[in-house]
Amino acid sequence: MISVERFTGSEEEWDLFATRQQGYTHFHRLGWRTLIKDVFGHECVYLAARDGGELIGVLPLVRVRSIVFGHYLVSMPFLNYGGPLGTELGIRAVVREGVAIARRENVKLFEMRSRVQLDISLPVSHRKITVVLDLPGDSDSLFRSFDAKLRSQIRRPQKEGVTVRFGPEQVLPFFSVFARHMRDLGTPTQPLSFFRAIAERFPEDSWFACAYLGDKPVAAGCGFRFGDEFEMTWASSLRAYNREAPNMLLYWACMERAIASGVKRFNFGRCTPGAGTHRFKMQWGGREEPLWWYGLGATSDATTPSPDDSAFRFGPRVWRKLPEFIATAFGPSIVRYIP
């Protein structure tokens, strides 16, 4: 008999099971449940399917609810991946329970951001993709594989005196670049407490990197290592320093570190097909991978909030005009409801 209930076991049991499943990513770790609850106050509905007591399926879900945007159940909000893991029967069991919860509670959208295709009968969207670059055994081989233009773009910030630093002490400089960049894009920023919690909760897996011109941080990134893969989850640079191209050196430094750490794949993170970030990522020679975002909406056009929606299209134009300190102060109170 297969039973599904909220997971009450140990972190060790959940993580040991999750890491052995196809489609596992860092964002499936149980530690994210506490982190999201503590930082954002959202209810985390982590489902587990058992067969005679043996764990056969898991599904991390987070409830994001607001008067303005609506009621969502997402795996995982604010992150690139999630979705169910386990055996075929286990996956179907936890998905079935997730759908039942969504219908019972009139959820606007139930969404699972899977890395892999699932054998389930829910609508799927490929509106987001990722780009993955296979890494050789040494950084010299990777550098030689780049075309002359890309090698020149990496050397340019080095010639300008840009340097890259890694470590948990880079969280604050990272955030200073990230918050400015998000304001310039017209998007509310995540809170500093989110990134501090990441560095504290996942000190071995999370990488914070900053590119400096002199003593000023001008580009920054945060990513995660899981298995033999590294994903650059957030990356930003200051527009005023586009000529020095510090983001090129930032990515290259992360690739060098990944190779030195034994990582086999560099994941550039999700993007929209055809967008500028997609073109930036493809120039490194990686391959596109579709993302399998399964969803069930209260209406056929239900999706997570986006500035492309006519109701919110004015938002980015207004946000770009705000003083940085105001955008940084009030952004987190908005973005916590945008999964």
Side-chain angles (χ1 to χ4, degrees), residues 87-180:
T87 67
E88 184 176 313
L89 288 176
I91 287 174
R92 289 179 179 176
V94 292
V95 170
R96 188 164 52 245
E97 179 63 18
V99 168
I101 294 172
R103 285 176 170 161
R104 185 168 62 246
E105 300 180 359
N106 297 316
V107 168
K108 181 177 182 179
L109 179 66
F110 168 65
E111 184 173 70
M112 300 179 297
R113 299 171 177 176
S114 177
R115 178 78 181 271
V116 296
Q117 185 176 8
L118 302 173
D119 186 18
I120 58 176
S121 57
L122 285 180
V124 64
S125 169
H126 299 298
R127 68 182 184 273
K128 297 295 182 180
I129 62 173
T130 191
V131 176
V132 177
L133 176 66
D134 293 320
L135 299 176
D138 64 276
S139 56
D140 288 341
S141 296
L142 179 60
F143 192 79
R144 289 194 299 269
S145 73
F146 297 151
D147 61 32
K149 180 181 178 181
L150 185 57
R151 293 197 299 268
S152 176
Q153 289 176 313
I154 295 170
R155 291 188 180 110
R156 183 190 307 168
Q158 292 175 320
K159 293 177 181 178
E160 295 288 342
V162 176
T163 59
V164 178
R165 307 172 196 170
F166 290 90
E169 68 278 2
Q170 300 305 317
V171 171
L172 187 56
F174 160 85
F175 184 74
S176 69
V177 174
F178 178 77
R180 166 70 69 87

XYZ file of all heavy atoms in Angstrom, residues 87-180:
757
model
N 10.581 6.834 -7.696
C 10.186 5.803 -8.633
C 8.986 6.286 -9.435
O 8.361 7.302 -9.093
C 9.816 4.506 -7.903
O 8.609 4.743 -7.137
C 10.926 4.062 -6.954
N 8.658 5.567 -10.486
C 7.507 5.955 -11.305
C 6.237 6.009 -10.466
O 5.460 6.970 -10.553
C 7.346 4.959 -12.454
C 6.239 5.317 -13.435
C 6.195 4.355 -14.612
O 7.261 4.070 -15.184
O 5.079 3.884 -14.929
N 6.034 5.004 -9.618
C 4.844 4.983 -8.762
C 4.901 6.088 -7.712
O 3.886 6.712 -7.393
C 4.706 3.621 -8.090
C 4.285 2.449 -8.983
C 4.279 1.142 -8.188
C 2.916 2.712 -9.594
N 6.099 6.321 -7.162
C 6.247 7.349 -6.143
C 5.972 8.738 -6.688
O 5.295 9.560 -6.047
N 6.483 9.014 -7.881
C 6.256 10.318 -8.506
C 4.774 10.534 -8.766
O 4.211 11.598 -8.466
C 7.072 10.439 -9.807
C 8.565 10.615 -9.473
C 6.576 11.611 -10.657
C 9.465 10.605 -10.685
N 4.123 9.532 -9.325
C 2.692 9.681 -9.613
C 1.891 9.889 -8.328
O 0.921 10.656 -8.310
C 2.193 8.451 -10.365
C 2.704 8.367 -11.797
C 2.196 7.129 -12.495
N 2.669 7.055 -13.860
C 2.445 6.031 -14.677
N 1.745 4.992 -14.249
N 2.912 6.039 -15.906
N 2.295 9.245 -7.264
C 1.559 9.360 -6.005
C 1.664 10.768 -5.422
O 0.655 11.353 -5.004
C 2.073 8.327 -5.007
N 2.871 11.329 -5.380
C 3.020 12.667 -4.792
C 2.415 13.736 -5.692
O 1.865 14.735 -5.208
C 4.494 12.991 -4.458
C 5.000 12.126 -3.326
C 5.394 12.870 -5.681
N 2.501 13.548 -7.006
C 1.877 14.504 -7.923
C 0.358 14.466 -7.773
O -0.301 15.515 -7.743
C 2.287 14.211 -9.381
C 1.454 15.057 -10.351
C 3.772 14.503 -9.589
N -0.188 13.280 -7.659
C -1.632 13.136 -7.472
C -2.091 13.858 -6.207
O -3.121 14.543 -6.196
C -1.996 11.656 -7.418
C -3.493 11.375 -7.407
C -3.801 9.925 -7.752
N -3.043 9.006 -6.916
C -2.100 8.174 -7.388
N -1.785 8.164 -8.682
N -1.458 7.348 -6.566
N -1.316 13.732 -5.139
C -1.662 14.419 -3.896
C -1.516 15.926 -4.045
O -2.334 16.702 -3.534
C -0.784 13.913 -2.755
C -1.028 14.581 -1.407
C -2.433 14.339 -0.869
O -3.114 13.406 -1.342
O -2.858 15.091 0.027
N -0.466 16.371 -4.743
C -0.294 17.800 -4.971
C -1.447 18.394 -5.760
O -1.943 19.484 -5.453
N -1.894 17.684 -6.789
C -3.040 18.128 -7.581
C -4.300 18.197 -6.719
O -5.094 19.141 -6.809
C -3.256 17.192 -8.787
C -4.603 17.469 -9.451
C -2.126 17.354 -9.800
N -4.481 17.191 -5.860
C -5.659 17.160 -4.985
C -5.671 18.364 -4.042
O -6.714 18.987 -3.825
C -5.686 15.859 -4.189
N -4.508 18.706 -3.493
C -4.415 19.872 -2.610
C -4.758 21.138 -3.380
O -5.510 21.999 -2.911
C -3.003 19.971 -1.991
C -2.736 18.792 -1.054
C -2.836 21.297 -1.248
C -1.302 18.721 -0.563
N -4.190 21.271 -4.583
C -4.412 22.468 -5.397
C -5.885 22.645 -5.728
O -6.421 23.761 -5.665
C -3.583 22.390 -6.675
N -6.554 21.555 -6.077
C -7.970 21.645 -6.420
C -8.827 21.910 -5.193
O -9.782 22.704 -5.250
C -8.397 20.355 -7.113
C -7.897 20.253 -8.554
C -8.246 18.939 -9.196
N -7.970 18.980 -10.629
C -7.825 17.904 -11.388
N -7.931 16.686 -10.843
N -7.590 18.005 -12.683
N -8.483 21.263 -4.101
C -9.267 21.422 -2.874
C -9.194 22.850 -2.349
O -10.153 23.379 -1.797
C -8.765 20.423 -1.831
C -9.584 20.396 -0.551
C -9.215 19.199 0.298
N -7.828 19.198 0.731
C -6.913 18.300 0.348
N -7.246 17.327 -0.491
N -5.679 18.359 0.799
N -8.040 23.490 -2.544
C -7.818 24.819 -1.980
C -7.934 25.930 -3.015
O -7.556 27.070 -2.732
C -6.449 24.844 -1.297
C -6.337 23.818 -0.169
C -4.978 23.842 0.517
O -4.120 24.654 0.103
O -4.787 23.061 1.451
N -8.433 25.595 -4.214
C -8.653 26.587 -5.271
C -7.395 27.392 -5.591
O -7.409 28.630 -5.692
C -9.792 27.548 -4.879
C -11.119 26.847 -4.728
O -11.474 26.012 -5.552
N -11.841 27.173 -3.665
N -6.295 26.671 -5.729
C -5.016 27.307 -6.045
C -5.047 27.855 -7.474
O -5.558 27.196 -8.394
C -3.877 26.279 -5.889
C -2.578 26.794 -6.485
C -3.681 25.951 -4.414
N -4.512 29.046 -7.658
C -4.484 29.661 -8.995
C -3.584 28.866 -9.933
O -3.916 28.675 -11.113
C -3.995 31.106 -8.890
C -3.962 31.848 -10.219
C -3.540 33.299 -10.020
C -3.543 34.057 -11.342
N -3.141 35.488 -11.145
N -2.431 28.422 -9.433
C -1.509 27.638 -10.259
C -0.710 26.683 -9.394
O -0.128 27.084 -8.380
C -0.545 28.555 -11.021
C 0.486 27.844 -11.904
C -0.208 27.113 -13.062
C 1.515 28.836 -12.454
N -0.707 25.428 -9.794
C 0.143 24.391 -9.214
C 1.231 24.120 -10.243
O 0.947 23.697 -11.358
C -0.693 23.135 -8.954
C 0.091 21.891 -8.620
C 0.839 21.811 -7.460
C 0.056 20.784 -9.467
C 1.553 20.652 -7.155
C 0.761 19.636 -9.172
C 1.512 19.569 -8.006
N 2.496 24.419 -9.886
C 3.593 24.351 -10.861
C 4.783 23.581 -10.305
O 5.212 23.810 -9.179
C 4.035 25.756 -11.272
C 5.106 25.768 -12.350
C 5.402 27.168 -12.848
O 5.995 27.958 -12.075
O 5.026 27.489 -13.990
N 5.322 22.669 -11.133
C 6.491 21.880 -10.764
C 7.571 22.093 -11.816
O 7.396 21.732 -12.985
C 6.120 20.396 -10.665
C 5.045 20.103 -9.627
S 4.608 18.341 -9.565
C 3.944 18.106 -11.222
N 8.699 22.660 -11.398
C 9.773 23.050 -12.319
C 10.807 21.923 -12.413
O 11.879 21.989 -11.808
C 10.401 24.358 -11.849
C 9.383 25.488 -11.822
C 9.903 26.744 -11.160
N 8.891 27.810 -11.223
C 9.029 29.011 -10.667
N 10.117 29.304 -9.973
N 8.074 29.914 -10.794
N 10.482 20.929 -13.194
C 11.326 19.744 -13.276
C 12.492 19.951 -14.237
O 12.360 20.641 -15.256
C 10.487 18.539 -13.732
O 11.290 17.396 -13.876
N 13.593 19.330 -13.908
C 14.766 19.343 -14.791
C 14.603 18.315 -15.908
O 15.201 18.452 -16.983
C 16.019 19.027 -13.953
C 17.332 18.948 -14.753
C 17.839 20.325 -15.081
N 19.063 20.280 -15.862
C 20.296 20.237 -15.341
N 20.461 20.217 -14.024
N 21.358 20.233 -16.116
N 13.803 17.302 -15.673
C 13.672 16.194 -16.623
C 12.207 15.955 -16.967
O 11.303 16.393 -16.252
C 14.283 14.893 -16.043
C 15.780 15.058 -15.825
C 13.594 14.501 -14.740
N 11.987 15.246 -18.050
C 10.630 14.884 -18.454
C 10.050 13.869 -17.475
O 10.743 12.965 -17.016
C 10.640 14.297 -19.862
C 9.270 14.005 -20.414
C 9.322 13.504 -21.854
O 10.399 13.235 -22.394
N 8.168 13.394 -22.489
N 8.767 14.036 -17.155
C 8.087 13.157 -16.218
C 6.942 12.425 -16.920
O 6.300 12.978 -17.821
C 7.521 13.960 -15.040
C 8.508 14.785 -14.221
C 7.767 15.651 -13.210
C 9.515 13.879 -13.508
N 6.686 11.213 -16.488
C 5.606 10.408 -17.047
C 4.317 10.690 -16.274
O 3.813 9.847 -15.531
C 5.964 8.922 -16.994
C 4.933 8.051 -17.699
O 4.158 8.594 -18.504
O 4.908 6.833 -17.431
N 3.825 11.911 -16.447
C 2.589 12.322 -15.776
C 1.710 13.041 -16.794
O 2.200 13.551 -17.814
C 2.864 13.253 -14.570
C 3.634 14.503 -15.012
C 3.635 12.510 -13.480
C 3.852 15.514 -13.915
N 0.430 13.096 -16.508
C -0.525 13.661 -17.473
C -0.933 15.077 -17.089
O -2.124 15.374 -16.902
C -1.765 12.766 -17.568
O -2.361 12.614 -16.284
N 0.046 15.967 -16.974
C -0.220 17.379 -16.715
C 0.356 18.206 -17.858
O 1.366 17.821 -18.472
C 0.427 17.822 -15.400
C -0.226 17.379 -14.086
C 0.563 17.915 -12.905
C -1.681 17.834 -14.007
N -0.255 19.342 -18.174
C 0.308 20.213 -19.209
C 1.740 20.625 -18.863
O 2.070 20.823 -17.686
C -0.632 21.422 -19.193
C -1.901 20.913 -18.597
C -1.501 19.874 -17.597
N 2.581 20.734 -19.890
C 3.975 21.100 -19.669
C 4.327 22.326 -20.500
O 3.823 22.509 -21.606
C 4.919 19.924 -20.015
C 4.843 19.577 -21.494
C 6.348 20.228 -19.589
N 5.181 23.181 -19.938
C 5.649 24.382 -20.631
C 7.163 24.316 -20.789
O 7.877 23.869 -19.890
C 5.280 25.635 -19.830
O 5.944 26.773 -20.344
N 7.635 24.761 -21.957
C 9.070 24.897 -22.200
C 9.425 26.373 -22.390
O 10.331 26.699 -23.157
C 9.490 24.081 -23.424
C 9.240 22.610 -23.295
N 9.855 21.838 -22.330
C 8.437 21.765 -24.007
C 9.454 20.580 -22.455
N 8.587 20.512 -23.453
N 8.713 27.240 -21.681
C 8.959 28.675 -21.841
C 10.317 29.085 -21.279
O 10.794 30.185 -21.562
C 7.849 29.486 -21.188
C 7.776 29.428 -19.673
C 6.587 30.236 -19.162
N 6.503 30.310 -17.718
C 5.888 29.386 -16.963
N 5.332 28.336 -17.542
N 5.834 29.532 -15.650
N 10.937 28.210 -20.489
C 12.284 28.452 -19.991
C 13.187 27.289 -20.409
O 12.754 26.143 -20.484
C 12.287 28.575 -18.468
C 11.475 29.746 -17.928
C 12.060 31.095 -18.341
C 11.249 32.244 -17.747
N 11.800 33.565 -18.134
N 14.436 27.627 -20.681
C 15.445 26.621 -21.002
C 16.689 26.906 -20.171
O 16.776 27.940 -19.494
C 15.820 26.636 -22.495
C 16.441 27.999 -22.878
C 14.611 26.327 -23.370
C 17.000 28.041 -24.284
N 17.640 26.003 -20.230
C 18.942 26.276 -19.631
C 20.019 25.961 -20.663
O 19.746 25.344 -21.700
C 19.159 25.461 -18.343
O 20.321 25.953 -17.670
C 19.354 23.980 -18.659
N 21.225 26.410 -20.385
C 22.370 26.144 -21.246
C 23.434 25.471 -20.393
O 23.773 25.965 -19.304
C 22.927 27.438 -21.874
C 24.190 27.142 -22.685
C 21.867 28.101 -22.749
N 23.956 24.350 -20.863
C 24.916 23.564 -20.106
C 26.182 23.375 -20.936
O 26.115 23.031 -22.127
C 24.342 22.183 -19.724
C 25.384 21.348 -18.995
C 23.102 22.354 -18.859
N 27.327 23.599 -20.310
C 28.626 23.448 -20.962
C 29.382 22.306 -20.297
O 29.606 22.324 -19.086
C 29.431 24.749 -20.837
C 30.863 24.739 -21.384
C 30.863 24.555 -22.897
C 31.591 26.027 -21.000
N 29.766 21.312 -21.073
C 30.592 20.220 -20.554
C 32.013 20.736 -20.346
O 32.588 21.385 -21.231
C 30.601 19.042 -21.530
C 29.248 18.369 -21.647
O 28.579 18.229 -20.606
O 28.850 18.004 -22.765
N 32.582 20.433 -19.185
C 33.899 20.942 -18.830
C 34.968 19.869 -19.025
O 34.763 18.716 -18.646
C 33.910 21.408 -17.372
C 32.944 22.544 -17.017
C 32.995 22.826 -15.514
C 33.254 23.803 -17.811
N 36.110 20.246 -19.594
C 37.217 19.301 -19.709
C 37.933 19.155 -18.373
O 37.535 19.752 -17.366
C 38.119 19.951 -20.757
C 37.888 21.426 -20.565
C 36.434 21.557 -20.165
N 39.009 18.401 -18.354
C 39.729 18.151 -17.112
C 40.627 19.287 -16.670
O 41.091 19.292 -15.520
N 40.899 20.247 -17.551
C 41.756 21.377 -17.160
C 41.272 22.641 -17.843
O 40.664 22.608 -18.921
C 43.223 21.098 -17.522
C 43.432 20.975 -19.021
O 43.211 19.864 -19.566
O 43.776 21.979 -19.654
N 41.527 23.781 -17.200
C 41.002 25.055 -17.686
C 41.692 25.514 -18.969
O 41.088 26.212 -19.789
C 41.136 26.129 -16.600
O 42.471 26.255 -16.167
N 42.958 25.143 -19.166
C 43.655 25.528 -20.398
C 42.965 24.946 -21.623
O 42.819 25.622 -22.650
C 45.112 25.069 -20.356
C 45.965 25.884 -19.392
O 45.531 27.002 -19.035
O 47.037 25.408 -18.995
N 42.531 23.702 -21.517
C 41.841 23.073 -22.644
C 40.530 23.795 -22.932
O 40.154 23.993 -24.097
C 41.559 21.598 -22.337
O 42.759 20.875 -22.191
N 39.826 24.199 -21.878
C 38.572 24.920 -22.080
C 38.833 26.268 -22.738
O 38.134 26.646 -23.686
C 37.856 25.115 -20.742
C 36.524 25.878 -20.804
C 35.527 25.146 -21.696
C 35.943 26.084 -19.409
N 39.840 26.989 -22.267
C 40.130 28.308 -22.825
C 40.497 28.202 -24.303
O 40.072 29.017 -25.126
C 41.266 28.972 -22.041
C 41.443 30.431 -22.343
C 40.608 31.374 -21.770
C 42.445 30.868 -23.205
C 40.756 32.729 -22.042
C 42.604 32.214 -23.476
C 41.760 33.153 -22.901
N 41.281 27.188 -24.666
C 41.674 27.012 -26.065
C 40.490 26.644 -26.954
O 40.512 26.892 -28.162
C 42.764 25.942 -26.181
C 44.116 26.366 -25.642
C 45.205 25.413 -26.106
N 44.961 24.045 -25.638
C 45.426 23.558 -24.495
N 46.173 24.324 -23.713
N 45.175 22.304 -24.142
N 39.440 26.075 -26.350
C 38.265 25.693 -27.145
C 37.402 26.888 -27.518
O 36.574 26.794 -28.434
C 37.418 24.679 -26.369
O 36.729 25.299 -25.287
N 37.585 28.021 -26.855
C 36.809 29.221 -27.159
C 37.324 29.867 -28.437
O 38.518 29.768 -28.764
C 36.892 30.234 -26.013
C 36.316 29.753 -24.708
C 36.818 30.223 -23.494
C 35.272 28.844 -24.675
C 36.288 29.795 -22.286
C 34.731 28.407 -23.476
C 35.248 28.881 -22.277
N 36.429 30.575 -29.127
C 36.892 31.298 -30.314
C 37.676 32.538 -29.894
O 37.688 32.926 -28.711
C 35.728 31.647 -31.236
C 34.679 32.549 -30.592
O 35.037 33.389 -29.744
O 33.491 32.420 -30.937
N 38.327 33.160 -30.852
C 39.218 34.284 -30.553
C 38.475 35.440 -29.907
O 39.010 36.116 -29.005
C 39.907 34.747 -31.837
N 37.239 35.699 -30.345
C 36.468 36.813 -29.784
C 36.182 36.590 -28.301
O 36.328 37.512 -27.488
C 35.160 36.975 -30.552
C 34.293 38.105 -30.026
C 32.992 38.212 -30.805
C 32.104 39.317 -30.233
N 30.816 39.398 -30.980
N 35.792 35.369 -27.950
C 35.471 35.080 -26.551
C 36.717 35.156 -25.681
O 36.679 35.703 -24.567
C 34.827 33.696 -26.441
C 34.324 33.278 -25.057
C 33.323 34.286 -24.521
C 33.707 31.891 -25.106
N 37.831 34.643 -26.176
C 39.089 34.728 -25.403
C 39.474 36.181 -25.170
O 39.936 36.555 -24.079
C 40.205 33.979 -26.128
C 40.010 32.470 -26.195
C 41.319 31.763 -26.549
N 41.825 32.184 -27.844
C 41.564 31.585 -29.005
N 40.747 30.530 -29.025
N 42.098 32.008 -30.132
N 39.253 37.022 -26.179
C 39.571 38.446 -26.040
C 38.667 39.109 -25.009
O 39.115 39.961 -24.229
C 39.401 39.135 -27.402
O 39.600 40.528 -27.298
N 37.398 38.714 -24.970
C 36.466 39.281 -23.999
C 36.825 38.890 -22.567
O 36.562 39.651 -21.632
C 35.040 38.822 -24.326
C 34.463 39.455 -25.580
C 33.096 38.894 -25.914
O 32.878 37.688 -25.908
N 32.155 39.783 -26.215
N 37.430 37.731 -22.397
C 37.878 37.309 -21.068
C 39.140 38.058 -20.661
O 39.310 38.450 -19.493
C 38.120 35.785 -21.044
C 36.795 35.036 -21.269
C 38.755 35.350 -19.727
C 36.967 33.550 -21.493
N 40.025 38.281 -21.622
C 41.296 38.961 -21.314
C 41.093 40.443 -21.039
O 41.871 41.056 -20.293
C 42.268 38.776 -22.486
C 42.781 37.347 -22.663
C 43.876 37.320 -23.700
N 44.423 35.997 -23.920
C 44.247 35.287 -25.029
N 43.532 35.806 -26.032
N 44.781 34.098 -25.155
N 40.067 41.052 -21.652
C 39.876 42.495 -21.529
C 39.765 42.935 -20.074
O 40.497 43.844 -19.640
C 38.644 42.947 -22.310
C 38.443 44.473 -22.257
C 37.087 44.863 -22.820
N 36.893 44.307 -24.138
C 35.712 44.283 -24.771
N 34.637 44.770 -24.174
N 35.603 43.772 -25.975
N 38.880 42.362 -19.253
C 38.815 42.811 -17.855
C 40.106 42.524 -17.090
O 40.450 43.273 -16.172
C 37.637 42.012 -17.285
C 37.453 40.869 -18.212
C 37.855 41.353 -19.554
N 40.799 41.462 -17.446
C 42.084 41.195 -16.788
C 43.062 42.325 -17.060
O 43.779 42.773 -16.153
C 42.661 39.867 -17.277
C 41.865 38.649 -16.838
C 42.390 37.356 -17.438
O 42.770 37.305 -18.611
N 42.414 36.298 -16.638
N 43.096 42.807 -18.305
C 43.986 43.912 -18.666
C 43.582 45.210 -17.968
O 44.431 46.075 -17.706
C 43.975 44.109 -20.179
C 44.601 42.961 -20.960
C 44.499 43.187 -22.457
C 45.113 42.033 -23.236
N 44.978 42.219 -24.710
N 42.279 45.334 -17.669
C 41.788 46.534 -16.985
C 42.012 46.475 -15.476
O 41.712 47.426 -14.765
C 40.288 46.717 -17.260
C 39.947 46.984 -18.719
C 40.357 48.366 -19.182
O 40.594 49.240 -18.323
O 40.434 48.586 -20.404
N 42.535 45.347 -14.989
C 42.822 45.210 -13.568
C 41.695 44.608 -12.745
O 41.723 44.665 -11.507
N 40.704 44.026 -13.398
C 39.590 43.392 -12.675
C 40.080 42.078 -12.054
O 40.801 41.307 -12.677
C 38.409 43.122 -13.623
C 37.294 42.367 -12.893
C 37.876 44.431 -14.195
N 39.692 41.836 -10.818
C 40.019 40.598 -10.113
C 38.743 39.982 -9.559
O 37.739 40.680 -9.363
C 41.012 40.840 -8.971
O 40.437 41.787 -8.043
C 42.337 41.387 -9.491
N 38.774 38.686 -9.281
C 37.593 37.978 -8.789
C 37.923 37.336 -7.443
O 38.974 36.705 -7.282
C 37.114 36.908 -9.782
C 35.907 36.140 -9.218
C 36.757 37.541 -11.122
N 37.006 37.499 -6.479
C 37.173 36.910 -5.152
C 35.974 36.007 -4.843
O 34.850 36.311 -5.225
C 37.271 38.000 -4.081
C 38.336 39.064 -4.355
C 38.247 40.204 -3.349
N 38.977 41.380 -3.790
C 38.911 42.568 -3.202
N 38.145 42.714 -2.119
N 39.599 43.598 -3.684
N 36.260 34.917 -4.131
C 35.227 33.964 -3.723
C 35.152 33.899 -2.203
O 36.131 34.163 -1.511
C 35.547 32.562 -4.248
C 35.403 32.391 -5.735
C 36.477 32.618 -6.585
C 34.194 31.992 -6.281
C 36.346 32.452 -7.955
C 34.050 31.818 -7.643
C 35.137 32.045 -8.489
N 33.984 33.502 -1.706
C 33.865 33.245 -0.282
C 32.589 33.808 0.309
O 31.922 34.663 -0.297
N 32.215 33.365 1.503
C 30.994 33.862 2.150
C 31.060 35.347 2.476
O 30.011 35.991 2.609
C 30.897 33.006 3.423
C 32.289 32.503 3.664
C 32.894 32.329 2.315
N 32.273 35.892 2.582
C 32.405 37.321 2.855
C 32.004 38.169 1.641
O 31.922 39.407 1.737
C 33.833 37.653 3.277
C 34.889 37.499 2.190
C 35.362 36.059 2.016
O 34.845 35.162 2.712
O 36.265 35.850 1.179
N 31.747 37.506 0.513
C 31.332 38.224 -0.691
C 29.813 38.422 -0.766
O 29.318 38.994 -1.733
C 31.817 37.470 -1.937
C 33.320 37.302 -2.038
C 34.074 38.615 -1.961
O 33.669 39.598 -2.585
N 35.158 38.636 -1.204
N 29.077 37.948 0.232
C 27.615 38.062 0.182
C 27.173 39.524 0.098
O 26.337 39.882 -0.741
C 26.964 37.372 1.401
C 25.465 37.681 1.447
C 27.191 35.878 1.357
N 27.722 40.379 0.944
C 27.307 41.785 0.942
C 27.713 42.497 -0.345
O 26.879 43.188 -0.960
C 27.861 42.506 2.165
C 27.375 43.944 2.372
C 25.839 43.981 2.434
C 27.962 44.536 3.647
N 28.966 42.356 -0.823
C 29.304 42.960 -2.109
C 28.458 42.403 -3.254
O 28.054 43.146 -4.155
C 30.786 42.622 -2.310
C 31.287 42.185 -1.001
C 30.141 41.790 -0.146
N 28.208 41.083 -3.218
C 27.327 40.490 -4.219
C 25.975 41.196 -4.226
O 25.454 41.569 -5.283
C 27.130 38.997 -3.931
C 25.897 38.403 -4.576
C 25.931 37.956 -5.880
C 24.693 38.327 -3.874
C 24.786 37.445 -6.483
C 23.552 37.815 -4.466
C 23.595 37.366 -5.783
N 25.419 41.381 -3.043
C 24.085 41.968 -2.967
C 24.082 43.419 -3.449
O 23.105 43.865 -4.054
C 23.559 41.892 -1.537
C 22.149 42.395 -1.403
C 21.084 41.630 -1.860
C 21.882 43.636 -0.839
C 19.774 42.100 -1.761
C 20.585 44.102 -0.731
C 19.520 43.335 -1.198
N 25.137 44.146 -3.206
C 25.190 45.542 -3.646
C 25.108 45.631 -5.172
O 24.462 46.529 -5.715
C 26.461 46.226 -3.136
O 27.615 45.704 -3.772
N 25.760 44.691 -5.862
C 25.698 44.657 -7.324
C 24.344 44.128 -7.784
O 23.710 44.685 -8.685
C 26.836 43.781 -7.891
C 26.693 43.632 -9.407
C 28.195 44.366 -7.546
N 23.892 43.052 -7.158
C 22.639 42.406 -7.541
C 21.454 43.357 -7.398
O 20.609 43.473 -8.301
C 22.437 41.167 -6.680
C 21.161 40.416 -6.933
C 21.028 39.603 -8.047
C 20.084 40.517 -6.056
C 19.850 38.908 -8.284
C 18.911 39.824 -6.279
C 18.788 39.019 -7.401
N 21.373 44.060 -6.265
C 20.246 44.962 -6.023
C 20.220 46.111 -7.022
O 19.150 46.491 -7.522
C 20.309 45.498 -4.590
N 21.388 46.680 -7.324
C 21.447 47.761 -8.327
C 21.031 47.244 -9.700
O 20.276 47.887 -10.433
C 22.867 48.325 -8.385
C 23.164 49.208 -9.589
C 22.439 50.549 -9.545
N 22.958 51.383 -8.493
C 24.015 52.211 -8.633
N 24.649 52.284 -9.792
N 24.419 52.945 -7.624
